[in-house]
Amino acid sequence: MNVLVVGKGGREHTLAWALRRSALVDSLYAAPGNPGIAALGECVSIAPEDARGIAGFARENDIDLVVVGPDGALEAGVVDEVESLGIRAFGPTRAAAEIEWSKAFSKRMMREEGIPTAVFEVFSDVAKARAYVNELGAPIVVKTDGLAAGKGALVCRTVEEAMKALDGLMTEKKFGEAGRKVVVEAFMEGEEASVFVLTDGERVMPLVPSQDHKPIYDGDAGPNTGGMGAYAPAPVIDEGALKDILERIIEPAVLGMKRRGRPFRGVLYCGIMMTAGGPMVVEFNSRFGDPEAQVILPLLEDDFAELAVGISEGSLPAGPLTWKRKAATCVVVASGGYPGSYETGMEIRGLDLLDEMDDVFAFHADTAMRDGKLVTAGGRVLGVTALADDLRGSIDRAYDAVDRIRFDQRYFRKDIGEKGLRRMA
Ligand code: GLY
């Protein structure tokens, strides 16, 4: 089978790695890929959002399966274009992916389906949004309706902060069209975790629960990033909580999407807040998380290519999935200054020192080759994943690996996984 992975980050490197392990996969391509993926297959210079370009490449190169990583590509309709040519695609159509690319659509769907989530209203009029902020009071959350690279949800501690957030999004248009409409919602107190399911549009199969670390600094301080690290399994989602989340949240969402004529096929990502009143939805996403994919896929025993083919054909294989009896931790190594401004082009050294470590992977997120050298090319540079028999061991091994990797202005959080250790203690 010839497979094309769409995307260029750490999640896509992990998808490419998982697909490469399958005996079903003969040739692997990525659009546009990155230097890490280039070691596994051929990278072609097509933007992930270029739906026509990707479908055309798939047709001309006898691609049997297209696996779409990023939200922007799903919003752009890559799956629709590819499927219109009779080629299999793993991922939801543009209409189904609206569960992520419009927070207003998603929140309204949750309200209509009785799915627990924070109270909210949607606004395109800044004066009305301000009045609602005054009514709800702080803390409060202001979100762009559209996609904003993971930075569109602003947690505001005071009413003044929320007013500033509304001005930034709606008047100054900091995220362009994405903030033309906003969702204003009540703040939820609790611990956040990520629950993913594979779904064929009707049945669901849960993946191992994980936890991301979105703020830039240790102790969850500072502005949000795309994600600074993850671990799995996350003990905050125990067996009982997972059953509850499947029954009261995920299954109603999947059936709700089907009833709306937008069956969701692929991987559905549910950001969950474990509140004192039970699990509530922070957001739905239409794809694997990044960096959650970097800890989930290395723990999966099953053949991911086989699963993806089944789902792309609308039939989820009979479960359950098989998992390694191990824990995984991923530490994201970033450019100092991220998520604000930072320099790129720093030479990355020491990746070869990871070769001698079993079950340790450096997934490339934003790297480039320049004059024959591997250099930094963005904010989140690498996701370093390590497996071990337990969470403590996987954290220690991941940091041991991170210590071997060097580049100027390197930055990483030092507390990935600690919430999990505290909960287990
Ligand atoms: N882990 C955050 C995201 O993928 O959106």
Side-chain angles (χ1 to χ4, degrees):
M1 186 164 73
N2 299 328
V3 180
L4 170 65
V5 174
V6 176
K8 64 184 175 76
R11 167 184 48 213
E12 288 75 26
H13 188 180
T14 316
L15 285 165
W17 171 86
L19 290 160
R20 248 288 159 241
R21 295 171 66 221
S22 168
L24 297 176
V25 176
D26 298 311
S27 303
L28 184 84
Y29 298 86
N34 65 33
I37 300 175
L40 304 170
E42 187 181 329
C43 294
V44 292
S45 172
I46 307 173
E49 298 79 21
D50 179 358
R52 286 252 171 99
I54 285 166
F57 177 87
R59 184 182 47 208
E60 281 153 28
N61 292 276
D62 295 326
I63 298 293
D64 302 291
L65 172 70
V66 177
V67 175
V68 184
D71 42 11
L74 296 166
E75 183 184 13
V78 167
V79 168
D80 310 59
E81 283 288 339
V82 167
E83 287 185 340
S84 75
L85 300 181
I87 300 167
R88 293 186 200 94
F90 175 79
T93 58
R94 173 177 155 78
E98 191 168 0
I99 199 167
E100 173 167 12
W101 60 257
S102 169
K103 301 294 174 235
F105 169 84
S106 186
K107 291 285 291 191
R108 285 180 177 135
M109 185 276 289
M110 287 185 244
R111 178 148 65 195
E112 286 157 18
E113 298 297 330
I115 294 171
T117 188
V119 293
F120 74 98
E121 290 300 338
V122 178
F123 300 96
S124 36
D125 177 318
V126 71
K128 289 187 180 152
R130 287 170 157 270
Y132 189 63
V133 165
N134 278 323
E135 186 188 323
L136 276 189
I140 191 166
V141 181
V142 177
K143 289 179 176 172
T144 57
D145 173 47
L147 299 177
K151 295 176 197 153
L154 306 169
V155 178
C156 308
R157 297 279 150 197
T158 62
V159 165
E160 293 69 38
E161 251 184 64
M163 297 302 180
K164 256 199 212 153
L166 287 177
D167 283 342
L169 299 183
M170 301 182 85
T171 315
E172 294 157 30
K173 298 205 177 339
K174 276 193 181 142
F175 291 106
E177 275 303 289
R180 196 176 53 78
K181 227 166 28 183
V182 298
V183 173
V184 179
E185 68 178 21
F187 175 79
M188 289 183 282
E189 194 73 62
E191 190 172 334
E192 200 174 333
S194 307
V195 176
F196 296 83
V197 295
L198 296 177
T199 174
D200 56 11
E202 262 180 60
R203 291 188 308 122
V204 306
M205 203 182 263
L207 305 184
V208 62
S210 55
Q211 191 169 52
D212 189 8
H213 297 63
K214 289 197 178 106
I216 183 73
Y217 302 126
D218 288 6
D220 286 340
N224 270 350
T225 66
M228 294 302 294
Y231 67 94
V236 61
I237 309 289
D238 60 19
E239 232 174 87
L242 183 59
K243 186 166 178 288
D244 190 28
I245 291 164
L246 290 173
E247 285 173 5
R248 291 197 306 123
I249 293 175
I250 293 181
E251 285 162 5
V254 168
L255 293 180
M257 292 300 283
K258 185 174 175 226
R259 244 196 324 274
R260 284 167 179 72
R262 309 161 180 246
F264 186 101
R265 286 209 284 263
V267 60
L268 181 63
Y269 168 166
C270 186
I272 288 284
M273 189 67 81
M274 295 300 289
T275 73
M280 294 177 78
V281 179
V282 178
E283 63 180 9
F284 280 111
N285 292 321
S286 53
R287 43 152 183 107
F288 270 109
D290 187 340
E292 291 97 321
Q294 288 87 314
V295 291
I296 293 172
L297 289 169
L299 290 173
L300 181 67
E301 290 274 21
D302 297 280
D303 182 328
F304 179 66
E306 195 179 322
L307 291 167
V309 167
I311 289 165
S312 70
E313 290 173 347
S315 74
L316 192 63
L321 298 171
T322 322
W323 299 95
K324 292 185 181 145
R325 298 177 71 85
K326 287 183 181 269
T329 297
C330 172
V331 177
V332 170
V333 189
S335 300
Y338 171 78
S341 55
Y342 52 81
E343 287 179 56
T344 59
M346 309 297 171
E347 186 180 349
I348 301 169
R349 295 194 186 86
L351 280 184
D352 52 326
L353 301 176
L354 271 49
D355 293 347
E356 66 198 38
M357 298 176 81
D358 281 342
D359 278 347
V360 169
F361 315 98
F363 294 116
H364 292 229
D366 235 327
T367 65
M369 290 304 291
R370 191 171 301 162
D371 302 327
K373 289 180 177 154
L374 187 71
V375 298
T376 65
R380 293 192 296 170
V381 177
L382 294 163
V384 179
T385 296
L387 271 52
D389 290 341
D390 58 18
L391 179 58
R392 174 80 267 166
S394 71
I395 294 170
D396 291 345
R397 297 191 77 228
Y399 280 108
D400 179 7
V402 166
D403 275 342
R404 299 174 188 217
I405 300 169
R406 300 276 154 186
F407 58 83
D408 285 350
Q409 297 165 34
R410 180 189 70 150
Y411 171 80
F412 55 89
R413 273 181 65 161
K414 314 273 187 310
D415 64 345
I416 303 302
E418 277 183 15
K419 264 190 278 197
L421 292 179
R422 279 200 294 277
R423 184 162 287 274
M424 287 191 295

